Each structure stands twice: as C-alpha cells, then as structure tokens.
Amino acid sequence: MTMQSDFRRSFMERKLRLIVVLLLLLGAAGYLWWAARPERRYEQSGVAEDGNYRLVAQDGSLFQRSSLKGHPYITYFGYASCPDRCPAMLARLSRIRARMGWTHEDLPIVFITVDPARDTPERLDAFVKSLGENIIALTGEPQVINRITDNAGVFVKIIPQSGDNYRIEHTTKAFLYNVDGDFWDTVSPQEADARIEAKLRDAAVSPPPKTEMSHATLDRRR
C-alpha cells in the first residue's frame, strides 16, 4: 500500500508540474502574440480632427505630419505588394524631383500604405529600398489608416484572390500640399512631366487656393 501510495503521489506531482509548465508556456506565447500584434506595435499612431496624423515610418520611428510644414510635399497612397502602379508613380515623382534640382528636403515624397495588415515598417523599408529612392513610407493601426484615407477621399477596395491573398484597387493620383501644409492639387499619372513640374513650383511659392470645395470632394474619383 505504501509503495502504491508513493507511486501515485509521485505521479500526481509530476503531472501537476507538467501542467504548470504548459500553463507558463501558453502564457508566454500569449504575451508574445499580444505584444507583437499590429495594434500593439502601432498604438502611438493616430489622427487629429484637423487631419494631422502620427504614423510609424519604415525605420520604426514615429512620424508627425506637422514636421512636413515649411516645404511642399506629395503624398501617395498605395501598398508594398502593388505590382506596377505604385512603384511606377513613386519612381516617376522621384525622377521629376531630381530633374528639377530638388532634394528630399525640398520636396518630401510620402508613401502611406492602404494595407496596414501586411505592410509592417520592415516590409515598407524593403519596398522603398527596392526603388532606390528617398521616400518616407508610413503605416499604422488599420482604423487610423482608414480615417486618413477617408479624410483624403482616397478610394480603397480589397479584391480577394486565391487562398488568403488579395490585391487592392486604390486611387492612383498623388496629393500635393503647399508650404503651409494645405492641400494644393492632385498629380495624375496621365499628366505630362512639364505640367507636374509647374504644379510643384506653384505649391512651393503660392498661397493656398481660395475654394469652397475640399480636395476630398474634388478628388474622390480615381
């Protein structure tokens, strides 16, 4: 009886230790998942009522839209998996900037993802480096990105494909802002380089245009 009791007690102790270890492992895994999820990583991202946003840049730093004030800048909405339009437009804008003799400081080009679920800072960094251009790439919490795109009147539509994959249809125009950070004009892929250059020069020296229509209303169409 004593040997059986000792064996049973030893077995129960080993079983309890195993359960404790498993619970600790599950707890650790749960914490790592919680700490690594996008909502956790981008918890500092946000957007104010006036449209000023805080997003996460490709180097992991927090980027403030207000830091762009003082120079004209261009914002383009797209995603890193975009096969053609996004890299083509960003490369073209960079090429025009260089031809005008302007630097990244003279005309920042800002790329905001419409695919925050997949576009981590690391992925955006690889995307920008593949272009070989000086571009600010930003991501954030999905609800923050959605609000920014809504404020800008950007069209976004997810098209499911095989498995869990998908592509995204989105506005292909870029948005040009003047030195005061106010919306100035759109830049369409169909426009001639000379026309785009003229818009950029105007945004660098001209006051905001007087109009009662917001750019969200003017440019909701792709």
Side-chain angles (χ1 to χ4, degrees):
M1 292 294 292
T2 302
M3 292 182 62
Q4 290 181 346
S5 297
D6 290 344
F7 178 82
R8 186 179 298 110
R9 185 167 54 252
S10 177
F11 175 79
M12 292 301 297
E13 288 175 353
R14 289 197 299 271
K15 186 176 181 180
L16 285 173
R17 284 197 295 267
L18 179 60
I19 292 174
V20 170
V21 171
L22 288 175
L23 288 175
L24 288 173
L25 290 174
L26 287 173
Y31 172 78
L32 291 174
W33 172 84
W34 175 80
R37 72 193 196 282
E39 292 82 3
R40 173 71 178 174
R41 295 175 64 182
Y42 311 144
E43 62 183 0
Q44 290 183 297
S45 65
V47 56
E49 291 296 328
D50 61 1
N52 283 311
Y53 54 72
R54 303 181 310 277
L55 292 173
V56 180
Q58 67 260 44
D59 62 358
S61 65
L62 193 64
F63 182 87
Q64 304 268 2
R65 180 186 176 188
S66 57
S67 66
L68 295 167
K69 194 170 183 179
H71 299 279
Y73 64 93
I74 295 177
T75 299
Y76 185 79
F77 294 86
Y79 63 114
S81 301
C82 183
D84 43 25
R85 294 181 179 181
C86 298
M89 188 62 167
L90 291 171
R92 185 184 181 201
L93 292 172
S94 298
R95 185 175 66 251
I96 291 173
R97 178 176 64 183
R99 189 167 61 239
M100 294 174 66
W102 289 6
T103 66
H104 168 70
E105 288 73 25
D106 298 322
L107 181 73
I109 298 175
V110 181
F111 177 71
I112 299 180
T113 182
V114 295
D115 188 16
R118 295 186 297 188
D119 285 347
T120 61
E122 295 80 9
R123 188 168 186 173
L124 290 177
D125 185 53
F127 172 69
V128 170
K129 286 180 177 177
S130 72
L131 299 176
E133 305 292 351
N134 199 339
I135 294 170
I136 301 168
L138 304 173
T139 188
E141 293 187 30
Q143 60 268 31
V144 174
I145 296 294
N146 289 341
R147 187 173 173 191
I148 293 171
T149 55
D150 286 346
N151 288 346
V154 173
F155 171 83
V156 179
K157 184 178 180 180
I158 296 177
I159 310 297
Q161 295 185 309
S162 59
D164 295 330
N165 198 21
Y166 58 87
R167 63 183 179 84
I168 301 177
E169 291 186 357
H170 59 88
T171 297
T172 57
K173 292 179 180 179
F175 297 84
L176 174 61
Y177 297 83
N178 67 8
V179 294
D180 292 324
D182 297 312
F183 173 73
W184 180 258
D185 208 338
T186 59
V187 175
S188 170
Q190 289 75 38
E191 291 183 88
D193 286 2
R195 174 61 177 160
I196 295 175
E197 288 186 23
K199 288 184 176 183
L200 297 180
R201 296 187 191 282
D202 287 345
V205 299
S206 302
K210 295 180 179 180
T211 174
E212 296 179 356
M213 296 182 67
S214 69
H215 74 280
T217 302
L218 289 169
D219 298 299
R220 192 167 293 277
R221 298 188 301 274
R222 288 184 293 162

